[in-house]
Amino acid sequence: MQLNSVFPYKMEKKQEELRHLTELVLGISVKTPKDFEMLQQQILLKTGQQLSLSTLKRFWGYVDKDNVDYKVRVTTLDILAVFVGFQNWVSFCQTNLEEGDESGNLAYRNLYLKELSVGSHVIIRWMPDRIVTMRYEGDDLLTVVESIGSKLRPGDTCHCQHIVENTPLTLFSLVRDGELIGNYICGKEHGVAFSVRK
């Protein structure tokens, strides 16, 4: 891949950033076999693409740590980039390889719903003009209170553990009028912004 050959040093940093952002989106640090299984399931759920456990473990350095010849496939990087909200690996690199930005630090705000008080309101915004207000019911359960420009409706319930700003948000097990609808992705292309009102 051209980006890898032109910017080998930066590509290592970009891969590290991709691992870090993947963990932010997942909501956990990936360290154990169970973590890798959860990551594999969430990637399949969010992207429709399958990555093997061995591929994920190699990319995280969990196995083959001393294999200096290991090179990650671009298809793997593409799938992970889509998982964290980018079009592909090249898009991820171009978005983050900004002039003067050598730090590699990611400043994505996080919200872990378990830290909220029951009854708190979470306001989610995404392009072009979607605004959804949800009430936290406890145990990762949210109820839609108000929906502007979105297909979500007041009274819908869903589950969510973790929100990362500027990345897509998946609401799991959406229920409407007692019927399970499935999962719902907010901000698929440009990610979401959030605020909390108590």
Side-chain angles (χ1 to χ4, degrees), residues 21-70:
L21 186 53
T22 298
E23 291 180 344
L24 284 178
V25 171
L26 187 64
I28 61 168
S29 294
V30 180
K31 295 178 179 176
T32 69
K34 279 196 167 186
D35 296 339
F36 285 105
E37 288 173 15
M38 178 190 290
L39 175 58
Q40 183 189 44
Q41 291 168 358
Q42 292 303 312
I43 288 170
L44 180 60
L45 188 65
K46 223 170 186 182
T47 70
Q49 301 290 321
Q50 179 88 35
L51 286 176
S52 71
L53 289 173
S54 59
T55 295
L56 292 171
K57 288 176 180 177
R58 277 197 304 272
F59 184 56
W60 257 260
Y62 187 78
V63 295
D64 291 342
K65 292 180 183 177
D66 301 322
N67 184 357
V68 293
D69 294 326
Y70 169 68

Side-chain angles (χ1 to χ4, degrees), residues 131-150:
I131 305 173
V132 174
T133 302
M134 296 179 283
R135 184 177 59 247
Y136 182 58
E137 311 290 1
D139 295 326
D140 304 324
L141 180 66
L142 294 165
T143 300
V144 176
V145 175
E146 183 180 25
S147 177
I148 300 171
S150 160

Side-chain angles (χ1 to χ4, degrees), residues 154-165:
D156 288 353
T157 62
C158 56
H159 289 269
C160 177
Q161 295 181 343
H162 183 218
I163 302 171
V164 181
E165 197 158 66

